[in-house]
């Protein structure tokens, strides 16, 4: 790893934090593998980055969306050339399987390609005028400097679906990634630099809470796009409210997969395996609840537990691994605590439930994939996000009760149903209080050109990965010209 990737990237230069402080980045699959000491930044570093972005803003806006889009197209090409390098970095610092990391790189490229294709569509409309010899039209302007705060679970794709539209819209940006995945973010910025994005247009500031709070508080920042937990998102929104800071918040999920009495049980089990245990359950759209009709519950559980019990937990770079580690010890302890509390509330652990320890495993953050049955619909495990490989199985007496249980949580990220009934499927789509809906398929993942959006406490502001994202990064104007 090149030494400069451990630094901040401000105004086209790789620089250390002003304080000189650093934070250790460790491989969650092997605690003996120290990836490096990365900059631990504060308010002064954020201010330098925001100043650089403000200076770069006029020229970048003047460039126009079509020419700005060429930089995104070039970035996609370069990312393709460096795909294996970037995927390996994702696996090493985030922990996910190398196959999952490669998929994330492909999704990031798809986001760049989709966003670049919007360049010729980013316009307004002409409108009838009430007066003679008058021309009336609408157009968009970038809102200015934006702060982009991204999480660790998709350390390339999520920053990319913020950075790409920010740049195409004409905004300049300060990216503040999770301190758990600094290397991937540095590689992203390096790719953009190689693609010819001018100095100051994209700035990277590594760090934790101090850097994030300073970004939200800086008066020159016109908007904050954040992906992460509900408490932090709420704090960002409240912190910027006094100055009417524009916010775009993608928050948590407690997603249900409904298994009806007429479901294809084999397909439903496959979908739960992918949705609940892929990436060790560390996705906002992860299937964390299976709401199962009691008529098919026993068959479903027998087939599911047999499959889950055979899953091999291991390092992401081991081709034999099927479940990766969680990202750090805090997530490991959170998963184990969730299991203990579920048992307190009457849940019965059918498989897993503890830390995965084997002689062939290095010391790391390995959690056994866990299935818990008899989980009360209103218990903590059925209501609160775990962000780990722990599945709650909740009984339902028929379709109506299953829908009621699915909608009983404060979140509304994803909703899934397995049924042979077309009418029931469309009724579920109408009744789900969730943003991303699936029928007879896994409840995670979406195309790069479909909105990544939630409802209720899962989302605030325009959705990402969609044309609607321009309503965050730009503002509308109207003009009337008489002659």
């Amino acid at each position: 790893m090149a030494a400069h990737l451990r630094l901040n990237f401000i105004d086209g230069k790789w620089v250390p934090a002003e304080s000189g402080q650093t934070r250790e980045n460790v491989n969650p699959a092997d605690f003996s593998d120290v990836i490096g000491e990365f900059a631990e930044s504060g308010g002064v570093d954020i201010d330098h980055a925001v100043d650089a972005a403000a200076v770069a803003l006029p020229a970048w806006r003047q460039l126009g969306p079509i020419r700005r889009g060429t930089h995104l197209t070039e970035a996609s090409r370069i990312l393709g050339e460096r795909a294996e390098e970037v995927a390996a970095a994702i696996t090493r610092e985030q922990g996910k399987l190398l196959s999952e990391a490669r998929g994330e790189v492909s999704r990031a490229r798809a986001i760049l390609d989709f966003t670049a294709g919007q360049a010729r569509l980013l316009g307004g409309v002409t409108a009838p005028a009430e007066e003679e010899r008058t021309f009336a039209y609408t157009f968009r302007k970038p809102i200015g400097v934006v702060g982009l705060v991204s999480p660790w679970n998709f350390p390339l794709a999520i920053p990319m679906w913020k950075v790409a539209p920010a740049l195409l819209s004409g905004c300049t940006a300060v990216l503040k990634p999770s301190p758990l995945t600094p290397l991937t973010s540095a590689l992203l910025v390096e790719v953009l630099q190689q693609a010819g994005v001018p100095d100051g247009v994209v700035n990277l500031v590594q760090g934790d809470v101090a850097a994030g709070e300073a970004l939200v508080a800086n008066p020159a920042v016109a908007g904050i796009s954040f992906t992460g937990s509900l408490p932090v998102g709420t704090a960002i929104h409240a912190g910027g409210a006094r100055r009417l800071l524009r916010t775009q918040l993608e928050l948590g999920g407690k997603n249900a997969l409904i298994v009806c009495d007429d479901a294809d049980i084999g397909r439903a089990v496959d979908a739960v395996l992918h949705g609940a245990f892929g990436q060790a359950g560390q996705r906002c759209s992860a299937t964390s609840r299976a709401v199962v009709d009691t008529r098919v519950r026993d068959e479903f559980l027998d087939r599911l537990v047999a499959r889950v019990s055979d899953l091999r937990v291991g390092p992401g770079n081991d081709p034999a691994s099927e479940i990766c580690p969680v990202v750090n010890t805090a997530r490991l302890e959170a998963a184990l605590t969730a299991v203990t509390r579920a048992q307190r509330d009457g849940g019965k652990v059918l498989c897993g439930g503890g830390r995965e320890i084997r002689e062939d495993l290095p010391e790391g953050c390995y959690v056994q994939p866990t299935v818990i049955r008899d989980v009360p619909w209103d218990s903590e495990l059925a209501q609160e996000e775990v962000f780990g490989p722990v599945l709650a199985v909740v009984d339902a007496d028929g379709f109506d009760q299953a829908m009621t249980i699915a909608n009983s949580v404060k979140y509304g990220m994803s909703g899934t149903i397995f049924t042979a009934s077309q009418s029931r499927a469309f009724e579920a789509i109408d009744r789900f209080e969730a943003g991303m809906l699936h029928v007879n398929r896994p409840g995670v993942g979406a195309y790069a050109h479909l909105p990544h959006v939630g409802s209720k406490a899962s989302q605030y502001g325009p959705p990402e990965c969609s044309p609607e994202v321009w309503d965050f990064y730009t503002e509308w104007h109207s003009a009337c010209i008489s002659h």
Side-chain angles (χ1 to χ4, degrees):
M1 179 184 65
H4 68 269
L5 295 173
R6 303 175 186 178
L7 306 175
N8 294 328
F9 184 73
I10 298 175
D11 199 17
K13 300 178 181 64
W14 295 94
V15 296
E18 285 282 339
S19 66
Q21 293 182 350
T22 60
R23 175 190 291 260
E24 187 177 72
N25 186 21
V26 176
N27 183 344
D30 183 354
F31 292 160
S32 69
D33 178 22
V34 177
I35 299 168
E37 297 280 345
F38 288 78
E40 179 66 18
S41 307
V44 174
D45 305 288
I46 288 290
D47 291 345
H48 289 333
V50 172
D51 290 346
V55 170
L57 180 64
W60 183 244
R61 175 191 165 195
Q62 190 65 31
L63 196 62
I66 293 175
R67 285 188 288 172
R68 292 193 294 262
T70 63
H71 292 290
L72 302 185
T73 300
E74 178 65 3
S76 178
R77 184 192 67 79
I78 295 170
L79 185 57
E81 292 178 346
R82 301 182 63 178
E84 282 301 300
E85 172 196 2
V86 176
I90 293 172
T91 292
R92 188 180 178 200
E93 70 173 356
Q94 196 275 341
K96 67 180 64 177
L97 301 180
L98 188 56
S99 59
E100 294 171 332
R102 287 169 176 154
E104 183 173 351
V105 174
S106 295
R107 182 171 176 82
R109 293 192 67 202
I111 291 162
L112 283 165
D113 295 340
F114 168 73
T115 307
Q118 293 283 304
R120 287 173 168 81
L121 303 175
L122 194 59
V125 298
T126 57
E130 296 181 3
E131 303 157 300
E132 295 181 356
R133 300 171 62 83
T134 297
F135 177 58
Y137 67 103
T138 66
F139 60 98
R140 295 178 182 268
K141 287 183 181 180
I143 62 173
V145 177
V146 291
L148 311 176
V149 183
S150 60
W152 49 261
N153 60 330
F154 288 92
L156 179 70
I158 292 179
M160 194 67 83
W161 76 47
K162 297 179 186 298
V163 171
L167 298 195
L168 190 74
S169 71
C171 293
T172 54
V174 177
L175 173 62
K176 206 298 288 180
S178 167
L180 300 180
T181 51
L183 175 57
T184 305
S185 302
L187 290 170
L188 182 158
V189 169
E190 187 176 57
V191 165
L192 293 171
Q193 182 188 29
Q194 292 177 333
V197 174
D199 295 350
V201 172
V202 178
N203 304 273
L204 171 70
V205 179
Q206 305 282 13
D208 202 355
V209 175
E213 290 179 343
L215 188 60
V216 173
N218 191 298
V221 174
I224 294 285
S225 179
F226 168 80
T227 299
S229 71
L230 176 59
V232 176
T234 302
I236 288 171
H237 190 64
R242 289 187 177 181
R243 62 182 185 89
L244 301 180
L245 176 71
R246 186 175 295 200
T247 57
Q248 178 188 49
L249 310 173
E250 195 243 286
L251 307 169
K254 190 65 183 176
N255 310 293
L257 183 149
I258 294 174
V259 182
C260 294
D261 58 357
D262 61 349
D264 182 323
I265 301 300
R267 290 179 66 187
V269 167
D270 288 343
V272 171
L273 284 172
H274 178 64
F277 304 112
Q279 205 172 301
Q282 298 170 116
R283 297 181 281 201
C284 62
S285 59
T287 300
S288 54
R289 294 179 294 156
V291 182
V292 186
D293 192 295
T294 54
R295 298 166 188 82
V296 295
R297 175 196 57 208
D298 291 345
E299 179 187 358
F300 171 81
L301 285 174
D302 287 346
R303 296 171 70 172
L304 176 67
V305 170
R307 296 280 301 278
V308 174
S309 299
D310 285 341
L311 292 174
R312 182 174 177 82
V313 180
N317 61 359
D318 182 349
S321 297
E322 297 172 291
I323 299 290
C324 66
V326 294
V327 73
N328 64 3
T329 54
R331 297 273 27 103
L332 183 150
E333 293 301 329
L336 299 183
T337 298
V339 172
T340 299
R341 291 178 176 173
Q343 291 174 304
R344 175 202 63 192
D345 292 336
K348 180 182 178 182
V349 176
L350 299 183
C351 61
R355 188 169 185 169
E356 182 77 1
I357 300 173
R358 301 195 311 267
E359 288 186 1
D360 65 319
L361 278 181
E363 186 181 4
C365 300
Y366 299 103
V367 180
Q368 297 170 338
T370 302
V371 177
I372 305 179
R373 67 171 295 173
D374 299 334
V375 177
W377 70 268
D378 57 349
S379 65
E380 182 177 346
L381 184 63
Q383 293 287 314
E384 298 297 334
E385 193 171 36
V386 175
F387 233 61
V390 180
L391 175 72
V393 179
V394 183
D395 292 348
D397 184 13
F399 171 70
D400 285 332
Q401 188 180 62
M403 289 302 313
T404 299
I405 292 170
N407 290 332
S408 68
V409 298
K410 61 189 172 188
Y411 297 109
M413 184 63 71
S414 173
T416 306
I417 186 169
F418 275 77
T419 179
S421 168
Q422 187 178 66
S423 62
R424 185 181 280 174
F426 278 99
E427 183 178 352
I429 288 174
D430 181 62
R431 290 174 63 179
F432 265 125
E433 296 171 0
M436 296 179 289
L437 307 175
H438 304 268
V439 176
N440 295 330
R441 64 187 306 275
V444 294
Y447 306 124
H449 58 282
L450 284 180
H452 192 284
V453 62
S455 63
K456 300 198 290 190
S458 291
Q459 178 80 34
Y460 180 86
E464 299 183 279
C465 303
S466 72
E468 289 75 27
V469 76
W470 309 121
D471 289 334
F472 174 73
Y473 290 105
T474 68
E475 56 189 7
W476 280 107
H477 296 263
S478 65
C480 297
I481 305 172
S482 296
H483 58 94

